[in-house]
């Protein structure tokens, strides 16, 4: 996040992402969409998140793509299917379908992963707030992001506490399933209690008041942001012209 | 009494949304720790929609998938499913279906069918019938018997969804029943679950 890409204004990064997503959706064929993947890898390497990006990509998207190919090419019975063995057959239509489908999935999801890896959530919420999104919405997003690690830490504590009281977490399915409620119950009840306290804390800090609030965290658009914004708009117009002509 | 959507989003309900989202995430983590075959990943959405109403439940479902989507963009597509779940569960709770056993059974069945349809639509149109989970093998088995993609996906979702809905609902219902009355009164939709009768 400390690289020159990470320091760009969030809306600039979003504009670039959106433009590339539009390219991937509306360009026919699949070559350009697959080329998006090396491009995103390159961007992530420049931003210093290359390793993270590849890890996330192969853990989530790669598996689903393999499944799509397997099901579309070998299992769905299209008209041009040629039998291989048993219920397996090879179909050219299926191959074409899955190529055009997976290419879009690869392009869009790698762009999305990359965007969230090079952009700080704090920056996103700040930019949203500046652009006029209600405070309630931005607060919702940032507090969710902050609460998840807190709650998982709390649930680890509760799990340890319940284990020390002798709850069984190993054994057959039924025993393990029974352990679920005693582990989750205290978590919910304590977090609901905290919710009430948080309401009081927020109200005492004038959260519901309608006046404009100042922020201690500041971020400004730089020259590079303006240049990229203009390039994105120009690219979009050029793309529309090229597709319509 | 006719009340707008804005009435649903009181500050208390608003603060329940992050709790619901993280509850879904923690529930998922717990089910992997306990090595359960079913992923209990919608407890938070169900819980919040039961006690805070359909629209808050819808936002919880959406936000939960958006947060997951930051790590795994596939879940952006399935946000629609969680939104449907939150909406249905919320309306049924509002109409006091979950106060008797018949209502619970019928309600669960309706929720199951609705989410199976929604998830079928999403996975067929966006991912060619694939969800990236173990249940894809069931879809493949259905396809191998010569069924069309559409029916295969819907039947798989109905089967796996039945267990999912029952377990998610059971866990969140037990937890709702444990929430103290003094908290439920403060919520707009907590009335059906208050244990102490008499003063109304």
């Amino acid at each position: 996040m400390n690289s020159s890409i990470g320091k760009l204004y969030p809306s600039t990064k979003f504009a670039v992402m959106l433009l590339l997503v539009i390219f991937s959706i509306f360009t026919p064929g699949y070559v350009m969409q697959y080329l998006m993947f090396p491009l995103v890898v390159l961007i992530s390497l420049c931003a210093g998140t290359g390793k993270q990006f590849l890890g996330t990509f192969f853990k989530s998207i790669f598996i689903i793509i393999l499944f799509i190919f397997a099901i579309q090419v070998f299992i769905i019975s299209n008209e041009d299917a040629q039998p291989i063995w048993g219920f397996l057959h090879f179909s050219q239509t299926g191959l074409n379908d899955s190529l055009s489908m997976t290419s879009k999935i690869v392009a869009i999801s790698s762009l999305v992963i990359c965007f969230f890896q090079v952009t700080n959530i704090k920056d996103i919420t700040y930019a949203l707030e500046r652009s006029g999104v209600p405070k309630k919405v931005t607060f919702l997003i940032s507090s969710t992001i902050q609460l998840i690690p807190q709650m998982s830490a709390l649930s680890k504590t509760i799990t340890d506490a319940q284990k020390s009281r002798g709850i069984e977490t190993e054994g057959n399915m039924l025993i393990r399933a029974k352990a679920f409620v005693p582990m989750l119950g205290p978590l919910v009840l304590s977090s609901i209690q905290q919710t009430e306290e948080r309401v009081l804390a927020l109200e005492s800090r004038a959260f519901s008041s309608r006046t404009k609030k100042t922020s201690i965290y500041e971020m400004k658009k730089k020259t590079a942001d303006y240049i990229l914004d203009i390039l994105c708009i120009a690219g979009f117009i050029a793309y529309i012209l090229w597709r319509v002509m | 009494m006719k009340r707008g959507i804005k009435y649903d989003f009181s500050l208390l309900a608003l603060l329940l949304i992050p709790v619901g989202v993280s509850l879904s995430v923690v529930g998922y983590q717990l089910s992997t720790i306990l090595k359960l075959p079913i992923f209990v990943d919608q407890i938070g959405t169900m819980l919040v929609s039961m006690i805070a109403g359909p629209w808050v439940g819808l936002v919880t479902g959406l936000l939960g998938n958006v947060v997951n989507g930051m790590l795994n963009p596939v879940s952006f597509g399935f946000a629609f499913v969680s939104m449907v779940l939150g909406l249905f569960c919320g309306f049924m709770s509002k109409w006091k279906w979950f106060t008797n056993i018949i209502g619970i059974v019928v309600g669960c069945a309706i929720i199951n069918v609705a989410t199976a349809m929604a998830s079928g639509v999403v996975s067929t149109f966006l991912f060619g019938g694939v969800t990236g989970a173990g249940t894809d093998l069931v879809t493949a088995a259905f396809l191998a018997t010569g069924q069309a993609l559409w029916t295969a996906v819907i039947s798989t979702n109905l089967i796996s969804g039945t267990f999912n809905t029952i377990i998610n609902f059971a866990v969140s219902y037990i937890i709702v029943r444990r929430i103290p009355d003094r908290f439920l009164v403060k919520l707009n939709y907590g009335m059906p679950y208050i244990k102490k009768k008499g003063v109304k």
Side-chain angles (χ1 to χ4, degrees), chain B residues 88-111 169 173 177 192-193:
Chain B
F88 272 69
C89 195
F91 271 116
M92 283 164 188
S93 166
K94 192 179 170 183
W95 295 328
K96 299 196 170 60
W97 283 33
F98 295 146
T99 47
N100 54 57
I101 187 77
I102 301 164
I104 289 175
V105 173
V106 176
C108 277
I110 294 177
I111 290 174
F169 183 81
Y173 189 73
R177 280 298 184 187
Y193 305 104

Side-chain angles (χ1 to χ4, degrees), chain B residues 162-183:
Chain B
T162 309
F163 296 108
N164 256 331
T165 317
I166 290 173
I167 293 194
N168 276 317
F169 183 81
V171 173
S172 38
Y173 189 73
I174 293 171
I175 293 173
V176 167
R177 280 298 184 187
R178 283 190 180 182
I179 296 176
D181 285 355
R182 49 173 278 276
F183 183 74

Side-chain angles (χ1 to χ4, degrees), chain B residues 57-81:
Chain B
L58 185 138
V59 174
T60 312
L62 173 70
L63 203 65
N65 278 53
V66 168
V67 169
N68 279 332
M70 289 176 190
L71 287 174
N72 180 1
V74 174
S75 106
F76 275 122
F78 288 97
F80 179 60
V81 182

Side-chain angles (χ1 to χ4, degrees), chain B:
Chain B
M1 189 161 64
K2 181 86 185 143
R3 295 179 295 213
I5 289 178
K6 208 165 179 187
Y7 172 80
D8 281 12
F9 287 88
S10 63
L11 197 53
L12 196 58
L14 208 66
L15 282 168
L16 270 180
I17 295 176
V19 173
V21 171
S22 16
L23 208 62
S24 300
V25 176
V26 171
Y28 178 80
Q29 285 173 352
L30 267 183
S31 59
T32 41
I33 290 173
L34 293 172
K35 300 191 202 71
L36 298 179
I38 299 161
F39 292 122
V40 190
D41 53 356
Q42 294 293 0
I43 298 176
T45 314
M46 276 201 167
L47 187 92
V48 171
S49 57
M50 269 189 225
I51 57 176
W55 302 107
V56 180
L58 185 138
V59 174
T60 312
L62 173 70
L63 203 65
N65 278 53
V66 168
V67 169
N68 279 332
M70 289 176 190
L71 287 174
N72 180 1
V74 174
S75 106
F76 275 122
F78 288 97
F80 179 60
V81 182
S82 310
M83 284 157 76
V84 168
L85 175 74
L87 200 65
F88 272 69
C89 195
F91 271 116
M92 283 164 188
S93 166
K94 192 179 170 183
W95 295 328
K96 299 196 170 60
W97 283 33
F98 295 146
T99 47
N100 54 57
I101 187 77
I102 301 164
I104 289 175
V105 173
V106 176
C108 277
I110 294 177
I111 290 174
N112 185 21
V113 173
T115 48
M117 290 292 174
S119 126
V121 169
V122 171
S123 70
T124 312
F125 282 116
L126 286 184
F127 305 109
V130 174
T131 54
T135 49
D136 288 348
L137 295 175
V138 185
T139 317
F142 273 119
L143 284 171
T145 60
Q147 286 198 30
L149 179 66
W150 184 251
T151 46
V153 171
I154 296 269
S155 357
T156 310
N157 279 327
L158 277 177
I159 293 168
S160 68
T162 309
F163 296 108
N164 256 331
T165 317
I166 290 173
I167 293 194
N168 276 317
F169 183 81
V171 173
S172 38
Y173 189 73
I174 293 171
I175 293 173
V176 167
R177 280 298 184 187
R178 283 190 180 182
I179 296 176
D181 285 355
R182 49 173 278 276
F183 183 74
L184 287 174
V185 247
K186 290 181 192 163
L187 289 162
N188 300 332
Y189 293 86
M191 267 326 249
Y193 305 104
I194 291 179
K195 277 138 269 175
K196 202 171 182 177
K197 302 285 172 202
V199 193
K200 282 224 167 149

Side-chain angles (χ1 to χ4, degrees), chain A residues 146-197:
Chain A
Q146 282 164 10
L147 199 64
I148 289 174
Q150 273 181 34
M151 289 263 282
S152 11
L154 189 62
S155 103
K156 279 202 190 82
T157 319
I158 291 170
T159 311
D160 287 344
Q162 297 283 38
K163 268 185 189 162
S164 72
R165 287 163 158 194
I167 200 167
E168 286 183 85
T169 53
E170 272 150 40
N172 67 28
M173 249 276 291
L174 200 67
I175 293 177
R176 277 180 282 146
K178 264 192 210 158
F180 210 88
V181 173
M183 281 174 167
L184 217 53
L187 181 71
V188 180
L189 298 179
S190 65
S191 47
I192 279 177
Q193 213 171 10
Q194 283 172 14
T195 312
E196 283 183 291
E197 284 162 20

